[in-house]
Amino acid sequence: MTDHILKFIKAKSKLFYLLILTGVLIFVLFNGIKVIFTHETFIFQLVLIVFKHMLSLSTAIILVVATILLLRHSNIVSNEMEQDYLERQGVDIAVGNDIVGLEIKKYYTRYTGKHFNIRVKNLYHGSIVSIKGTLNFYTYENDRIYSVPIEIDHLFIKQNYTVSNFDPKHRAINSFAYYEFYIEKLKTDVSSFEDIRLISRRIVHTFFYELNMKQFSDHFIGKFRVRYNLVWLKERGIRIRSWVRFFCSKKIYRVEHKPVVEFFELMVRVTKILMLIVFLVIVLLGLMYVIYDLSKMIIAIAKLLISK
């Protein structure tokens, strides 16, 4: 019945219909607010409890938000530092002549580790019909430790061939001193060649990243693992500790190029140490008060819930 009356009013006068809806809305809001702020209501008592402990609650929220923001910043900066180091560890070793070349690229990524890319390149102005050879890896003592056979048919101009028939986990791939691309037979569209040796420069492999992972990726607070990379944050902690030790360390003060008596130096050191102790005590007492006040708030809310 009411629906039909409202539809009839809306059809006759939209302005009158809007006035009725506005009046109903004001009536509902007024009565709702009146109920909420009645002393006997649960919501008013809850708001009152929270308001009494607002300072401690605000402090706790600010500390939590600041900690999360600091951890996120540490995660971003630490990951950028790690990625920058990995990019600088990449190795690009290429050999070649006027006809053919071979390139080995070693690169890292944060999530998938070390990768190798081996490509044979056509450096000829025409097509290469076939290549038959071997990729040999050598130690610093010139001992061959690994070989990869290479056979290619129809390598067109400016085309590359990716060598995939090698073991990327073989120790030679990670520790070779240099490599040799030995071509037994090479045939182009106009001529053929045999017994070609292309020898790379010597390189030095470093395993600093693998042996010092904590300098690049550290997700632990004590024995607890967290989702954030804490390398940057822990480095800042070490710097602050070093600054505090320097601030409190023994120093020699001079007046007209003569050392000041040790008593004055001792008093300065004691003053600095007392300042730090007072600061730490104030911070600790503040945190203890916040925890105590929040515990009182939780107990009061629990009692309110039980009583209702």
Side-chain angles (χ1 to χ4, degrees):
M1 184 68 178
T2 306
D3 294 340
H4 292 290
I5 294 173
L6 290 175
K7 288 180 181 180
F8 177 77
I9 294 173
K10 185 177 180 181
K12 294 296 181 180
S13 176
K14 291 185 178 180
L15 178 61
F16 188 61
Y17 176 75
L18 290 174
L19 288 174
I20 292 175
L21 289 181
T22 305
V24 172
L25 181 62
I26 292 173
F27 176 79
V28 171
L29 289 176
F30 178 78
N31 283 274
I33 293 172
K34 185 178 179 180
V35 171
I36 289 173
F37 286 95
T38 301
H39 284 269
E40 289 77 19
T41 60
F42 171 78
I43 296 177
F44 179 81
Q45 295 178 40
L46 180 62
V47 171
L48 187 62
I49 293 172
V50 173
F51 184 77
K52 287 173 61 177
H53 304 274
M54 182 58 68
L55 181 61
S56 297
L57 184 61
S58 301
T59 303
I61 292 173
I62 291 172
L63 289 175
V64 170
V65 172
T67 302
I68 293 174
L69 292 176
L70 187 63
L71 291 174
R72 286 184 176 179
H73 180 74
S74 175
N75 186 65
I76 293 171
V77 176
S78 301
N79 290 342
E80 289 177 351
M81 292 166 55
E82 183 180 4
Q83 185 60 37
D84 179 66
Y85 178 84
L86 291 175
E87 289 177 357
R88 289 186 281 110
Q89 300 310 301
V91 176
D92 189 349
I93 317 166
V95 295
N97 53 24
D98 295 334
I99 302 174
V100 67
L102 187 140
E103 179 186 55
I104 295 181
K105 282 188 176 182
K106 180 180 74 171
Y107 62 95
Y108 295 82
T109 60
R110 289 188 56 251
Y111 300 104
T112 57
K114 186 185 301 183
H115 296 270
F116 284 89
N117 189 1
I118 303 176
R119 295 185 302 172
V120 178
K121 298 183 176 181
N122 183 353
L123 306 178
Y124 187 53
H125 55 77
S127 299
I128 297 177
V129 177
S130 63
I131 300 174
K132 183 179 180 182
T134 308
L135 174 60
N136 300 313
F137 294 90
Y138 291 87
T139 65
Y140 293 101
E141 292 76 23
N142 301 319
D143 297 324
R144 186 169 62 184
I145 51 177
Y146 190 47
S147 296
V148 180
I150 297 176
E151 292 190 16
I152 307 171
D153 294 324
H154 303 296
L155 192 62
F156 300 104
I157 185 171
K158 294 184 179 180
Q159 188 179 17
N160 300 327
Y161 173 81
T162 301
V163 179
S164 57
N165 59 329
F166 70 96
D167 182 8
K169 296 183 179 180
H170 194 281
R171 66 181 182 88
I173 299 294
N174 295 287
S175 61
F176 69 93
Y178 67 96
Y179 69 84
E180 172 197 52
F181 184 27
Y182 172 67
I183 302 174
E184 184 180 343
K185 293 181 181 180
L186 187 150
K187 185 177 181 182
T188 66
D189 49 2
V190 295
S191 58
S192 61
F193 304 89
E194 295 183 356
D195 197 25
I196 300 174
R197 296 179 182 273
L198 302 175
I199 300 176
S200 74
R201 60 179 174 84
R202 289 175 177 259
I203 64 170
V204 177
H205 294 277
T206 63
F207 298 94
F208 184 81
Y209 178 75
E210 289 84 355
L211 297 175
N212 299 274
M213 284 296 297
K214 281 195 173 182
Q215 292 196 22
F216 303 98
S217 180
D218 190 347
H219 294 262
F220 286 90
I221 300 177
K223 294 184 179 181
F224 298 97
R225 181 177 177 84
V226 296
R227 57 180 294 187
Y228 303 102
N229 193 341
L230 304 177
V231 171
W232 176 85
L233 188 60
K234 290 185 177 181
E235 285 182 356
R236 290 300 177 274
I238 293 173
R239 289 188 181 183
I240 293 173
R241 184 182 64 183
S242 300
W243 178 85
V244 171
R245 293 180 64 181
F246 173 77
F247 183 74
C248 299
S249 63
K250 183 177 180 180
K251 300 177 181 63
I252 298 177
Y253 299 90
R254 295 177 179 272
V255 176
E256 295 182 356
H257 306 289
K258 295 180 181 180
V260 179
V261 291
E262 293 185 1
F263 177 75
F264 175 76
E265 190 275 334
L266 178 62
M267 291 301 297
V268 172
R269 288 184 64 194
V270 170
T271 303
K272 291 180 178 180
I273 294 172
L274 286 176
M275 288 171 56
L276 288 174
I277 292 175
V278 169
F279 174 75
L280 292 175
V281 169
I282 292 173
V283 172
L284 183 60
L285 290 176
L287 291 175
M288 290 175 63
Y289 174 77
V290 169
I291 295 172
Y292 170 74
D293 199 43
L294 289 177
S295 63
K296 286 178 61 179
M297 183 188 73
I298 294 172
I299 293 172
I301 293 174
K303 289 180 178 179
L304 181 63
L305 290 171
I306 294 172
S307 65
K308 296 296 178 180

